[in-house]
Amino acid sequence: MTARPTITIYTTPACPYCHAAKALLREKGVAFEEIDVQDASRRQQMMKRANGRRTVPQIFIGATHVGGCDDLHELDRRGALDPLLKAS
């Protein structure tokens, strides 16, 4: 059995897009690490990892930078999210 990739999502508590992205991931039955970027050092970490993007959520599946909530949902609509979630 192959290991699932680590999923990391950078969020803020009041962000509706963050909630929608997390809901989709939960619907897919995958665990994820959530990093609250209200702390300036965590936001800097996110921006460095996301090539300067400042908005939340920023979602990573393994080494792949998915982008934000719309990007995640678009992957799902195209049928490309499930294979990415299962890749090792």
Side-chain angles (χ1 to χ4, degrees):
M1 182 174 195
T2 59
R4 288 188 173 195
T6 301
I7 301 167
T8 306
I9 180 168
Y10 293 88
T11 67
T12 58
C15 168
Y17 298 103
C18 299
H19 291 287
K22 292 186 295 185
L24 178 57
L25 293 171
R26 285 186 189 108
E27 182 182 305
K28 297 288 182 182
V30 296
F32 54 87
E33 175 189 15
E34 181 176 2
I35 299 173
D36 184 340
V37 297
Q38 291 182 103
D39 175 78
S41 66
R42 288 187 180 145
R43 185 169 290 266
Q44 287 295 337
Q45 173 195 21
M46 175 195 79
M47 289 171 54
K48 182 177 180 182
R49 193 170 175 200
N51 297 318
R53 289 176 117 181
R54 303 174 144 289
T55 59
V56 289
Q58 290 301 317
I59 304 156
F60 292 83
I61 300 175
T64 302
H65 179 217
V66 171
C69 181
D70 291 343
D71 302 308
L72 184 70
H73 280 87
E74 178 59 27
L75 275 177
D76 192 39
R77 276 190 290 278
R78 290 189 328 214
L81 180 57
D82 289 338
L84 191 58
L85 292 172
K86 291 179 176 124
S88 62

